[in-house]
Amino acid sequence: MKKHLTWLAWAFFLVLIPAVLIASFNFNYQAPLAKLLAYDLGIIAFVLWVEIAWIKLKPHWVEKTIGVDTLYKVISFLGVIALLGAGLHQMIAESASTLIKTTGIVAWLLALVIAIYGLIALATKIPSRKVKLNRVIKAVVNILAILVVALIWIHVNVIPAIASIRPFMITFNIYAIFAFGCQLFGWYRKRH
């Protein structure tokens, strides 16, 4: 029974949370299916980054059910999926605005750097004598993660047709605030 509850919790986490944001967008935005798909891929990538911010806090029930090693593998897996979703979003979506393109591309490149770091960290063990360097790298990666969410927030808010969809923007901003909150709380918790 406990295993079924764990699977149910992960299904909720990975399917329902993105579905809420996608539904609030798709029900309020009229566009051809290909364009909706492009936006949905971007939404999924954003939600996965929000979920990664929460998982990085290592909630007790998650850590207890899957273990720390698996937790880091889940974070890396979600990061790679988010990166692929964002990459496809960039390839399919069309934008005439330089600001929209630039914020999207820079956020994707920063996420790529984070993903590469995550995969290297999973594949190698950093010797204890390099702990100080490891702390600095982790701090930089955490700052990059905050920048990714901030750039995505700007990216979405400067698209007039999307920024005018009130139900989507309210939900999107709640998710963004949650991601910032998780990242800042994680930073604060490590300092105290």
Side-chain angles (χ1 to χ4, degrees), residues 4-66:
H4 295 300
L5 289 176
T6 302
W7 281 106
L8 185 63
W10 281 108
F12 169 80
F13 188 67
L14 295 174
V15 176
L16 191 59
I17 293 175
V20 170
L21 198 57
I22 288 171
S24 71
F25 179 76
N26 288 353
F27 289 140
N28 294 290
Y29 190 74
Q30 301 299 317
L33 188 60
K35 194 170 187 178
L36 282 178
L37 176 64
Y39 288 129
D40 290 348
L41 288 168
I43 291 168
I44 290 168
F46 170 74
V47 173
L48 289 176
W49 281 312
V50 171
E51 291 174 343
I52 289 168
W54 179 76
I55 293 173
K56 282 174 51 181
L57 291 177
K58 298 180 195 162
H60 181 68
W61 72 270
V62 174
E63 193 174 318
K64 188 177 176 182
T65 56
I66 65 172

Side-chain angles (χ1 to χ4, degrees), residues 130-152:
K130 297 188 179 181
V131 168
K132 190 171 184 175
L133 176 64
N134 192 27
R135 281 191 201 136
V136 170
I137 292 171
K138 283 183 179 181
V140 169
V141 167
N142 287 332
I143 290 168
L144 293 179
I146 291 171
L147 283 174
V148 167
V149 174
L151 286 167
I152 294 168

